[in-house]
Amino acid sequence: MIAGCIARVLACTLVTSALLACSSNTPAPAQTTGIVPKPSLAKAWQGQLLIGAAVDEKNIKTQGTLIAEQFNSVVAENAMKPMATEPREGEFHFEAADAIVHFAQSHDMAIRGHTLLWHLHTPDWMWQGTNGQPADRNLVLARLKRHIETEVGRYKGQVYVWDVVNEIIDEKQPDCLRDDKWHQVVGPDYVDYAFRYAHAADPAARLFINEYSTEAPAKQRCLIRVVQGLLQRGVPVNGIGHQMHISVFYPTVAAIDETLTAFARLGLENQITELDMSLYRWKDNHLYDTRENLLALQARRYGEIMRMIHNHPDVTAVTWWGVTDAGTWLNQDAPSDHRDQPLLFDAQGQPKGAFWAVFAAARR
């Protein structure tokens, strides 16, 4: 069934019709009994988008009912990253990832794979050669190939899309690639190799570059330049993952719209992969209005973004980076009196105004 759902989403051509009006005062149910509202977001958006959430092995146990009823796609927040799956060379750990895959399959949900290569989650052994010498290019590529073959091969036919590389763009560099160890040891073609290894391991999987701030003009130009080069070399890139860790203050809906259009023109699929909307400005713990007003603004902004997505048949999935406000990564280092509330469900798992705005934006 889920294969059919994915096929419908990937093949979906949105018809033009009047957009359903939505505002921050969209009425919520009169009662708040802890019962998950029906129909769910996944059902409301069925046939248009996959609606996803980042999960871990803990919240699929504590919030499994909520996740299964509201979403039809999941991504492992950390369990599929290299340091989690191969912390020591040749020593693979898939227990947490397997639990998430089993949960998804038991609830007929699609599975995103995140991520095969990320400079912040590359274990140190990748760079260590013999006799205390640094690993050379050939050794690093051989290790990368084995890692990707093992992980992608394990979930072949189960994970429908992989974030092959994550956060590789640096608009300040001449070639637009981050000057990290991957770039320094292997060279810029490490990106080509990562995609080719992933494609060989599962030819049917969709392969993505995942990146943040794709709406920023300089970064967007660099990402387009890198992607065009990959496509010209015949590298199997299928789409762009736009992280979208945004705020109630920025970016504009128009900027997001223009970004999606720019990559759709390249013939690429777009997915929003790590969506949350902070009540704060970046690295600023000051609230610029009352929480009530900011949450109303958040709901309105979520509704505007989701209505805009109706104009983009190239967008096949929207994934929130978390399930409830209680588990958002944005509160990991936040002072106790500056807790953020960026998701659709509050800390108790109750639907917020943002939920109702996203729900109302669906064509049902």
Side-chain angles (χ1 to χ4, degrees), residues 178-308:
R178 184 184 295 276
D179 189 29
D180 58 12
K181 284 192 175 182
W182 286 103
H183 191 272
Q184 295 163 9
V185 175
V186 177
D189 58 349
Y190 79 88
V191 181
D192 302 49
Y193 280 103
F195 274 90
R196 294 190 191 281
Y197 294 156
H199 181 67
D202 187 354
R206 310 289 291 172
L207 305 181
F208 275 54
I209 294 178
N210 197 49
E211 191 57 72
Y212 66 91
S213 298
T214 54
E215 75 287 344
K219 189 160 209 175
Q220 182 182 130
R221 287 192 296 270
C222 262
L223 181 53
I224 289 173
R225 175 182 162 188
V226 168
V227 170
Q228 286 176 326
L230 291 166
L231 294 175
Q232 289 167 3
R233 294 190 295 275
V235 177
V237 179
N238 302 119
I240 303 297
H242 306 268
Q243 291 186 10
M244 292 270 288
H245 296 295
I246 60 177
S247 163
V248 294
F249 302 107
Y250 53 78
T252 65
V253 176
I256 299 170
D257 188 5
E258 291 165 4
T259 298
L260 297 173
T261 298
F263 290 99
R265 287 197 190 105
L266 298 179
L268 295 173
E269 182 181 339
N270 285 304
Q271 291 192 356
I272 295 173
T273 56
E274 303 183 23
L275 179 58
D276 47 34
M277 189 183 297
S278 175
L279 303 183
Y280 297 89
R281 298 182 186 277
W282 180 245
K283 294 185 178 180
D284 183 348
N285 288 327
H286 178 71
L287 280 180
Y288 287 86
D289 204 335
T290 65
R291 281 191 178 269
E292 181 180 13
N293 287 344
L294 291 171
L295 287 169
L297 175 59
Q298 180 188 71
R300 185 164 68 250
R301 290 258 292 153
Y302 265 131
E304 290 169 351
I305 290 169
M306 296 303 289
R307 290 197 302 278
M308 175 270 293

Side-chain angles (χ1 to χ4, degrees), residues 6-259:
I6 294 170
R8 287 196 300 275
V9 172
L10 294 179
C12 181
T13 300
L14 300 179
V15 297
T16 54
S17 63
L19 295 178
L20 182 62
C22 169
S23 67
S24 60
N25 60 356
T26 304
Q31 59 179 0
T32 55
T33 62
I35 299 174
V36 178
K38 306 291 193 305
S40 71
L41 290 181
K43 291 177 181 176
W45 285 89
Q46 190 169 10
Q48 303 173 65
L49 293 170
L50 288 172
I51 298 294
V55 301
D56 57 35
E57 64 274 27
K58 295 180 181 178
N59 66 12
I60 59 173
K61 296 178 181 177
T62 60
Q63 299 171 328
T65 299
L66 177 65
I67 294 167
E69 289 181 336
Q70 291 299 329
F71 303 97
N72 55 11
S73 174
V74 295
V75 61
E77 188 169 7
N78 292 301
M80 290 187 177
K81 292 174 180 174
M83 288 180 68
T85 55
E86 194 179 4
R88 286 165 289 280
E89 185 172 9
E91 183 182 309
F92 288 92
H93 293 273
F94 291 113
E95 297 84 1
D98 284 351
I100 292 169
V101 170
H102 176 74
F103 171 84
Q105 291 177 329
S106 66
H107 293 92
D108 197 27
M109 305 173 84
I111 307 163
R112 298 193 82 258
H114 177 82
T115 175
L116 298 174
L117 188 155
W118 183 25
H119 69 285
L120 289 180
H121 262 255
T122 300
D124 290 340
W125 60 259
M126 183 66 76
W127 314 115
Q128 297 166 359
T130 58
N131 300 321
Q133 297 299 309
D136 62 17
R137 166 186 164 91
N138 290 336
L139 179 57
V140 170
L141 282 175
R143 287 168 168 171
L144 176 64
K145 184 174 186 289
R146 187 195 65 244
H147 178 86
I148 290 177
E149 285 178 343
T150 302
E151 183 161 356
V152 176
R154 183 180 186 85
Y155 300 115
K156 182 178 181 179
Q158 302 174 78
V159 170
Y160 84 101
V161 59
W162 283 97
D163 292 329
V164 177
V165 294
N166 190 53
E167 300 179 0
I168 63 169
I169 299 299
D170 184 350
E171 64 275 24
K172 299 180 180 65
Q173 297 300 320
D175 64 357
C176 291
L177 291 175
R178 184 184 295 276
D179 189 29
D180 58 12
K181 284 192 175 182
W182 286 103
H183 191 272
Q184 295 163 9
V185 175
V186 177
D189 58 349
Y190 79 88
V191 181
D192 302 49
Y193 280 103
F195 274 90
R196 294 190 191 281
Y197 294 156
H199 181 67
D202 187 354
R206 310 289 291 172
L207 305 181
F208 275 54
I209 294 178
N210 197 49
E211 191 57 72
Y212 66 91
S213 298
T214 54
E215 75 287 344
K219 189 160 209 175
Q220 182 182 130
R221 287 192 296 270
C222 262
L223 181 53
I224 289 173
R225 175 182 162 188
V226 168
V227 170
Q228 286 176 326
L230 291 166
L231 294 175
Q232 289 167 3
R233 294 190 295 275
V235 177
V237 179
N238 302 119
I240 303 297
H242 306 268
Q243 291 186 10
M244 292 270 288
H245 296 295
I246 60 177
S247 163
V248 294
F249 302 107
Y250 53 78
T252 65
V253 176
I256 299 170
D257 188 5
E258 291 165 4
T259 298

